[in-house]
Amino acid sequence: MNSKGIHHITAIAGNPQTNIDFYEGILELKLIKKTVNFDDPGTYHFYFGDEVGRPGTILTFFPWGKNANKGRRGRGQVISLSFSVPSGSLKYWEERFKKFKVVFDGPYDRFGENVISIEDPDGIEIELIENGAEKSDTAIRGFKSATLSVESLAKSQSVLTGVLGFNLIGNEGSRYRFESEGSIGNNIDLIVSPDSFPGIMGAGAIHHIAFRAADRVHQHTISKLLMQINLRVTEVIDRKYFKSVYFREPNGILFEIATDLPGFLVDEKKEDLGKILQLPEWFESKRNVIEKSLQQLKEPSPERVYLLE
Ligand code: ZN
């Protein structure tokens, strides 16, 4: 009962408009769901992904707005996320980043693949990694991997290999790569850096990473294994598009186990995904108040991110 890999990654952003301008406008991801933070309905929750938001393609944000405190990436956090792009497509992305004034590093080699890295407007590190077959299109396919900064290799390894079914497949210096049996979002890199600064949660930091469970039974099996190694796991929480449990892995990073189903078509048709604000039924009666409290959004514009328009 192994996890197939990453289900979604959730980060904190500042301005919601800038967030949409960057991820839809520049990275050409699709906003597949516009909703609110179920634990704080005065804040948006954006989901970006492929055309239907398949597990392994979903990047989500809580844009905290003007009052967001600034985060800092560091030890005890997911410190970067990597998207898979078709082999040969990095030229396209370099040109695009130059056009819209996005500073990038690379390309450089990691485990035999070409990587370029950028920061989003809040400071989140994003990598594009060429892998798989050369294709005529250039679009991001979904996650390739995520990089976690940890104090102890063994502690996180106990969860990744002992519970989630990943295998350690190699290392480059202090970067250790784990792989699961899925076809997307199936790598986790641990960087062992016990002396580095601990991360601070806030805009520009990644809040948590979710791993895939096929269904509730699979999720329950994983929860039981986690409890057997004395980790505290939450109750099952209904996130409308999936069911979730949360725990802190032994190096302190917040992990979630999310079910593949029911998915993002549960309240909207494919062609309508992301168009209107979706609320869980327990907030519907407060829709007017909630909508008024949220910043109004314009159509995404790649030029607006670094004020080229
Ligand atoms: Zn989550």
Side-chain angles (χ1 to χ4, degrees):
M1 292 294 270
N2 298 335
S3 172
K4 287 205 162 93
I6 300 168
H7 182 284
H8 66 268
I9 293 174
T10 293
I12 312 294
N15 186 323
Q17 183 68 55
T18 305
N19 188 249
I20 286 187
D21 288 343
F22 184 80
Y23 285 96
E24 270 204 298
I26 294 181
L27 289 188
E28 303 177 315
L29 298 178
K30 185 170 161 54
L31 180 68
I32 48 153
K33 198 65 68 179
K34 186 165 54 183
T35 181
V36 294
N37 182 345
F38 291 1
D39 302 323
D40 171 18
T43 303
Y44 278 117
H45 192 181
F46 297 149
Y47 291 79
F48 299 95
D50 74 356
E51 70 279 7
V52 292
R54 286 182 188 84
T57 74
I58 310 157
L59 174 60
T60 101
F61 285 94
F62 296 124
W64 282 354
K66 285 195 283 292
N67 301 324
N69 66 295
K70 189 92 188 83
R72 182 181 71 186
R73 62 174 173 266
R75 182 166 46 79
Q77 285 181 342
V78 179
I79 54 167
S80 66
L81 57 93
S82 309
F83 288 119
S84 165
V85 294
S87 294
S89 67
L90 283 187
K91 273 276 161 290
Y92 167 83
W93 288 104
E94 286 173 31
E95 289 307 312
R96 192 164 177 81
F97 294 150
K98 282 179 197 158
K99 182 176 173 187
F100 296 115
K101 308 285 184 232
V102 180
V103 177
F104 63 89
D105 275 339
Y108 49 89
D109 177 274
R110 185 190 296 150
F111 293 106
E113 294 171 330
N114 291 322
V115 182
I116 58 177
S117 73
I118 57 172
E119 283 188 353
D120 86 352
D122 292 301
I124 292 171
E125 188 176 77
I126 309 278
E127 298 173 332
L128 301 186
I129 302 184
E130 281 185 340
N131 70 353
E134 192 148 340
K135 289 170 84 180
S136 55
D137 86 299
T138 52
I140 288 170
R141 299 189 178 103
F143 293 118
K144 154 83 177 158
S145 58
T147 302
L148 285 54
S149 173
V150 298
E151 183 179 8
S152 149
L153 174 68
K155 282 183 177 176
S156 293
Q157 189 171 357
S158 68
V159 170
L160 286 173
T161 61
V163 177
L164 297 175
F166 281 74
N167 292 305
L168 177 60
I169 58 165
N171 76 296
E172 283 187 354
S174 59
R175 176 185 292 272
Y176 291 81
R177 173 154 293 182
F178 293 81
E179 191 161 280
S180 74
E181 61 199 31
S183 57
I184 198 157
N186 61 328
N187 284 130
I188 294 293
D189 288 357
L190 296 183
I191 292 184
V192 182
S193 52
D195 299 323
S196 62
F197 285 110
I200 297 170
M201 196 45 62
I206 293 171
H207 188 262
H208 65 266
I209 180 168
F211 293 90
R212 293 174 64 180
D215 52 30
R216 292 283 301 277
V217 175
H218 185 195
Q219 184 182 56
H220 184 65
T221 305
I222 293 172
S223 290
K224 277 200 301 193
L225 289 170
L226 291 167
M227 287 187 272
Q228 279 168 19
I229 56 169
N230 296 319
L231 294 176
R232 285 169 46 160
V233 186
T234 66
E235 297 287 291
V236 177
I237 298 170
D238 184 2
R239 295 305 186 193
K240 190 171 178 185
Y241 310 108
F242 41 85
K243 301 270 197 291
S244 296
V245 298
Y246 300 83
F247 63 99
R248 284 205 186 267
E249 58 83 51
N251 280 306
I253 303 172
L254 186 59
F255 277 17
E256 173 182 350
I257 307 296
T259 54
D260 281 359
L261 295 173
F264 293 93
L265 298 175
V266 74
D267 56 4
E268 288 177 304
K269 291 202 286 265
K270 185 177 165 187
E271 56 270 30
D272 297 328
L273 283 171
K275 285 192 183 149
I276 60 165
L277 184 75
Q278 293 294 335
L279 296 174
E281 68 237 33
W282 59 91
F283 286 145
E284 268 305 338
S285 62
K286 301 196 186 83
R287 176 175 280 272
N288 280 343
V289 180
I290 289 171
E291 284 185 342
K292 277 204 192 98
S293 73
L294 295 166
Q295 182 178 325
Q296 296 305 303
L297 298 171
K298 302 176 196 145
E299 282 297 302
S301 157
E303 283 87 7
R304 196 161 42 217
V305 178
Y306 296 106
L307 299 176
L308 303 178
E309 62 179 17

Coordinates of all heavy atoms in Angstrom, one line a residue, residues 202-249:
G202 N 5.4 31.9 6.6 CA 4.8 33.2 6.2 C 4.9 33.3 4.7 O 5.2 32.3 4.0
A203 N 4.5 34.5 4.2 CA 4.5 34.6 2.7 C 5.9 34.3 2.1 O 6.9 34.8 2.6 CB 4.1 36.0 2.3
G204 N 5.9 33.4 1.1 CA 7.1 33.0 0.5 C 7.6 31.7 1.1 O 8.7 31.3 0.7
A205 N 6.9 31.1 2.0 CA 7.3 29.8 2.5 C 6.3 28.7 2.2 O 5.1 29.0 1.9 CB 7.5 29.9 4.0
I206 N 6.7 27.5 2.1 CA 5.8 26.4 1.8 C 5.2 25.8 3.1 O 6.0 25.6 4.0 CB 6.5 25.3 1.0 CG1 6.9 25.9 -0.4 CG2 5.7 24.0 0.8 CD1 7.8 25.0 -1.3
H207 N 3.9 25.7 3.2 CA 3.3 25.4 4.4 C 3.3 23.9 4.7 O 3.5 23.5 5.8 CB 1.8 25.9 4.3 CG 1.1 25.8 5.6 ND1 0.2 24.8 5.9 CD2 1.1 26.6 6.7 CE1 -0.3 24.9 7.1 NE2 0.2 26.0 7.6
H208 N 2.9 23.1 3.6 CA 2.9 21.7 3.8 C 3.0 20.9 2.5 O 2.8 21.6 1.4 CB 1.7 21.2 4.6 CG 0.4 21.4 4.0 ND1 -0.4 22.5 4.2 CD2 -0.3 20.7 3.1 CE1 -1.5 22.5 3.4 NE2 -1.5 21.3 2.8
I209 N 3.2 19.7 2.6 CA 3.2 18.8 1.4 C 2.3 17.6 1.6 O 2.3 17.1 2.7 CB 4.7 18.3 1.0 CG1 4.6 17.5 -0.2 CG2 5.3 17.6 2.2 CD1 6.0 17.2 -0.8
A210 N 1.5 17.3 0.6 CA 0.5 16.2 0.8 C 0.9 15.1 -0.1 O 1.3 15.3 -1.3 CB -0.9 16.7 0.4
F211 N 0.8 13.9 0.4 CA 1.1 12.6 -0.4 C -0.2 11.9 -0.7 O -1.2 12.0 0.0 CB 2.0 11.7 0.4 CG 3.4 12.3 0.6 CD1 3.6 13.2 1.7 CD2 4.4 12.1 -0.3 CE1 4.9 13.7 1.9 CE2 5.6 12.7 -0.2 CZ 5.9 13.5 0.9
R212 N -0.2 11.1 -1.8 CA -1.4 10.5 -2.3 C -1.8 9.2 -1.5 O -0.9 8.4 -1.3 CB -1.2 10.2 -3.8 CG -1.1 11.4 -4.6 CD -0.8 10.9 -6.1 NE -1.9 10.2 -6.7 CZ -1.8 9.7 -7.9 NH1 -0.7 9.9 -8.7 NH2 -2.8 9.0 -8.4
A213 N -3.1 9.2 -1.2 CA -3.7 7.9 -0.8 C -4.7 7.5 -1.8 O -5.4 8.4 -2.3 CB -4.3 8.0 0.6
A214 N -4.8 6.3 -2.2 CA -5.8 5.9 -3.2 C -7.2 6.1 -2.8 O -8.1 6.6 -3.5 CB -5.6 4.4 -3.6
D215 N -7.4 5.9 -1.5 CA -8.8 6.0 -1.0 C -8.7 6.1 0.6 O -7.6 6.1 1.1 CB -9.7 4.8 -1.4 CG -9.0 3.5 -1.1 OD1 -8.3 3.4 -0.1 OD2 -9.3 2.5 -1.9
R216 N -9.9 6.1 1.2 CA -10.0 6.2 2.7 C -9.3 5.0 3.4 O -8.7 5.1 4.4 CB -11.4 6.3 3.1 CG -12.1 7.6 2.7 CD -11.6 8.8 3.6 NE -11.9 8.5 5.0 CZ -13.1 8.8 5.6 NH1 -14.1 9.3 4.9 NH2 -13.3 8.6 6.9
V217 N -9.5 3.8 2.8 CA -8.9 2.6 3.4 C -7.3 2.7 3.4 O -6.7 2.5 4.4 CB -9.3 1.3 2.6 CG1 -8.6 0.1 3.2 CG2 -10.9 1.2 2.7
H218 N -6.8 3.1 2.3 CA -5.4 3.3 2.1 C -4.9 4.4 3.1 O -3.9 4.2 3.8 CB -5.0 3.7 0.7 CG -3.6 3.8 0.4 ND1 -3.1 4.5 -0.7 CD2 -2.5 3.4 1.1 CE1 -1.8 4.4 -0.7 NE2 -1.4 3.8 0.3
Q219 N -5.6 5.5 3.2 CA -5.3 6.5 4.1 C -5.3 6.0 5.6 O -4.4 6.4 6.3 CB -6.3 7.7 4.0 CG -6.0 8.9 4.8 CD -7.2 9.9 4.6 OE1 -8.3 9.6 4.8 NE2 -6.8 11.1 4.1
H220 N -6.2 5.2 5.9 CA -6.3 4.7 7.3 C -5.1 3.8 7.6 O -4.6 3.8 8.7 CB -7.7 3.9 7.4 CG -7.9 3.4 8.8 ND1 -8.1 4.3 9.9 CD2 -8.0 2.2 9.3 CE1 -8.2 3.6 11.0 NE2 -8.2 2.3 10.7
T221 N -4.8 3.0 6.6 CA -3.6 2.1 6.8 C -2.3 2.9 7.0 O -1.5 2.6 7.9 CB -3.4 1.3 5.5 OG1 -4.6 0.6 5.2 CG2 -2.3 0.3 5.6
I222 N -2.2 4.0 6.3 CA -1.0 4.9 6.5 C -1.0 5.5 7.9 O 0.0 5.5 8.6 CB -0.9 6.0 5.4 CG1 -0.6 5.3 4.0 CG2 0.1 7.0 5.7 CD1 -0.7 6.3 2.8
S223 N -2.2 6.0 8.3 CA -2.4 6.6 9.6 C -2.0 5.6 10.7 O -1.3 5.9 11.7 CB -3.8 7.0 9.9 OG -4.1 8.1 9.1
K224 N -2.4 4.4 10.6 CA -2.1 3.3 11.6 C -0.5 3.1 11.7 O 0.0 3.0 12.8 CB -2.8 2.0 11.3 CG -4.2 2.0 11.8 CD -4.8 0.6 11.9 CE -4.8 -0.1 10.6 NZ -5.6 -1.4 10.6
L225 N 0.1 3.0 10.5 CA 1.6 2.9 10.5 C 2.3 4.0 11.1 O 3.3 3.9 11.9 CB 2.1 2.7 9.0 CG 1.7 1.4 8.3 CD1 2.0 1.5 6.8 CD2 2.4 0.2 9.0
L226 N 1.8 5.3 10.9 CA 2.4 6.4 11.5 C 2.2 6.4 13.0 O 3.1 6.7 13.8 CB 1.7 7.7 11.0 CG 2.0 8.0 9.5 CD1 1.1 9.1 9.0 CD2 3.5 8.4 9.3
M227 N 1.0 6.0 13.5 CA 0.8 5.9 14.9 C 1.7 4.8 15.6 O 2.1 5.0 16.7 CB -0.7 5.7 15.2 CG -1.4 7.0 15.0 SD -3.2 7.0 15.4 CE -3.9 6.3 14.0
Q228 N 2.0 3.8 14.8 CA 2.9 2.7 15.3 C 4.3 3.2 15.6 O 5.0 2.7 16.4 CB 2.9 1.5 14.4 CG 1.7 0.6 14.5 CD 1.6 -0.4 13.4 OE1 2.6 -0.6 12.7 NE2 0.5 -1.0 13.2
I229 N 4.7 4.3 14.8 CA 6.0 4.9 15.1 C 5.9 6.1 16.0 O 6.7 7.0 15.9 CB 6.9 5.1 13.9 CG1 6.1 6.0 12.8 CG2 7.2 3.8 13.2 CD1 7.0 6.4 11.7
N230 N 4.8 6.2 16.7 CA 4.5 7.3 17.7 C 4.4 8.7 17.1 O 4.8 9.6 17.8 CB 5.6 7.2 18.8 CG 5.6 6.0 19.6 OD1 4.5 5.5 19.9 ND2 6.8 5.4 19.8
L231 N 3.9 8.8 15.9 CA 3.6 10.1 15.4 C 2.1 10.4 15.6 O 1.3 9.5 15.6 CB 3.9 10.2 13.9 CG 5.4 10.0 13.5 CD1 5.6 10.0 12.0 CD2 6.2 11.2 14.2
R232 N 1.8 11.7 15.9 CA 0.5 12.1 16.2 C -0.2 12.5 14.9 O 0.2 13.4 14.2 CB 0.4 13.3 17.1 CG 0.7 12.8 18.6 CD 1.0 13.9 19.5 NE 0.0 15.0 19.3 CZ -0.3 15.9 20.2 NH1 0.4 15.9 21.3 NH2 -1.2 16.9 20.0
V233 N -1.3 11.8 14.5 CA -2.0 12.0 13.3 C -3.4 12.6 13.6 O -4.0 12.2 14.5 CB -2.2 10.7 12.5 CG1 -2.8 10.9 11.1 CG2 -0.8 10.0 12.4
T234 N -3.8 13.6 12.8 CA -5.1 14.2 13.1 C -6.2 13.3 12.7 O -6.0 12.3 12.0 CB -5.3 15.5 12.3 OG1 -5.3 15.2 10.9 CG2 -4.2 16.5 12.5
E235 N -7.4 13.6 13.0 CA -8.7 13.0 12.5 C -8.7 13.3 11.0 O -8.1 14.2 10.5 CB -9.9 13.7 13.1 CG -10.0 13.5 14.6 CD -10.4 12.1 15.0 OE1 -11.5 11.7 14.7 OE2 -9.5 11.4 15.5
V236 N -9.6 12.5 10.3 CA -9.8 12.8 8.9 C -10.6 14.1 8.8 O -11.6 14.3 9.4 CB -10.6 11.6 8.3 CG1 -10.9 12.0 6.8 CG2 -9.9 10.3 8.4
I237 N -10.1 15.0 7.9 CA -10.7 16.3 7.7 C -11.2 16.4 6.3 O -10.5 16.0 5.3 CB -9.7 17.5 8.0 CG1 -9.3 17.4 9.5 CG2 -10.4 18.8 7.7 CD1 -8.1 18.3 9.8
D238 N -12.5 16.9 6.1 CA -13.1 16.9 4.8 C -12.7 18.2 4.1 O -13.0 19.3 4.5 CB -14.6 16.9 4.9 CG -15.3 16.9 3.6 OD1 -14.6 16.8 2.5 OD2 -16.6 16.9 3.6
R239 N -11.8 18.1 3.0 CA -11.4 19.3 2.3 C -12.2 19.4 1.0 O -11.8 20.0 0.0 CB -9.9 19.1 2.0 CG -9.0 19.2 3.2 CD -9.3 20.4 4.0 NE -8.3 20.6 5.1 CZ -8.5 21.5 6.1 NH1 -9.6 22.2 6.1 NH2 -7.6 21.6 7.1
K240 N -13.4 18.8 0.9 CA -14.3 18.8 -0.2 C -13.8 18.1 -1.4 O -14.5 17.3 -2.0 CB -14.7 20.2 -0.5 CG -15.9 20.3 -1.5 CD -16.4 21.7 -1.6 CE -17.5 21.8 -2.6 NZ -17.9 23.2 -2.9
Y241 N -12.6 18.4 -1.9 CA -12.0 17.8 -3.1 C -11.2 16.6 -2.8 O -10.8 15.9 -3.7 CB -11.2 18.9 -3.8 CG -12.0 20.1 -4.0 CD1 -11.7 21.3 -3.3 CD2 -13.1 20.2 -4.8 CE1 -12.4 22.4 -3.4 CE2 -13.9 21.3 -4.9 CZ -13.5 22.4 -4.2 OH -14.3 23.5 -4.3
F242 N -10.9 16.4 -1.5 CA -10.2 15.2 -1.0 C -10.4 15.2 0.5 O -10.8 16.1 1.1 CB -8.7 15.3 -1.4 CG -8.0 16.6 -1.2 CD1 -7.5 17.0 0.0 CD2 -7.9 17.5 -2.3 CE1 -7.0 18.3 0.2 CE2 -7.4 18.7 -2.1 CZ -6.9 19.1 -0.9
K243 N -10.1 14.0 1.1 CA -10.1 13.9 2.6 C -8.7 13.8 3.0 O -7.8 13.2 2.4 CB -10.8 12.6 2.9 CG -12.3 12.5 2.4 CD -13.2 13.0 3.4 CE -14.7 12.6 3.1 NZ -15.2 13.2 1.9
S244 N -8.4 14.4 4.2 CA -7.0 14.6 4.6 C -6.8 14.2 6.1 O -7.7 14.4 6.9 CB -6.6 16.1 4.4 OG -6.7 16.4 3.1
V245 N -5.6 13.8 6.3 CA -5.1 13.7 7.7 C -3.7 14.4 7.6 O -3.1 14.4 6.6 CB -4.9 12.2 8.2 CG1 -6.3 11.5 8.3 CG2 -3.9 11.4 7.4
Y246 N -3.3 14.9 8.8 CA -2.1 15.7 8.9 C -1.2 15.1 10.0 O -1.7 14.7 11.0 CB -2.4 17.2 9.2 CG -3.2 17.8 8.1 CD1 -4.6 17.7 8.1 CD2 -2.6 18.6 7.1 CE1 -5.4 18.3 7.2 CE2 -3.4 19.2 6.1 CZ -4.8 19.1 6.2 OH -5.6 19.7 5.2
F247 N 0.1 15.3 9.8 CA 1.0 14.9 10.9 C 2.4 15.7 10.7 O 2.6 16.1 9.5 CB 1.3 13.4 11.0 CG 2.0 12.8 9.8 CD1 3.3 12.6 9.8 CD2 1.2 12.5 8.7 CE1 4.0 12.0 8.7 CE2 1.8 12.0 7.6 CZ 3.2 11.7 7.6
R248 N 3.1 15.9 11.7 CA 4.5 16.4 11.6 C 5.4 15.2 11.5 O 5.5 14.4 12.4 CB 4.9 17.3 12.7 CG 4.2 18.7 12.5 CD 4.9 19.8 13.2 NE 4.0 21.0 13.0 CZ 4.1 21.8 12.0 NH1 5.0 21.8 11.1 NH2 3.2 22.8 11.9
E249 N 6.2 15.1 10.4 CA 7.2 14.1 10.3 C 8.3 14.4 11.3 O 8.4 15.5 11.8 CB 7.6 13.9 8.9 CG 8.2 15.0 8.2 CD 9.7 15.2 8.5 OE1 10.4 14.2 8.4 OE2 10.1 16.3 8.9

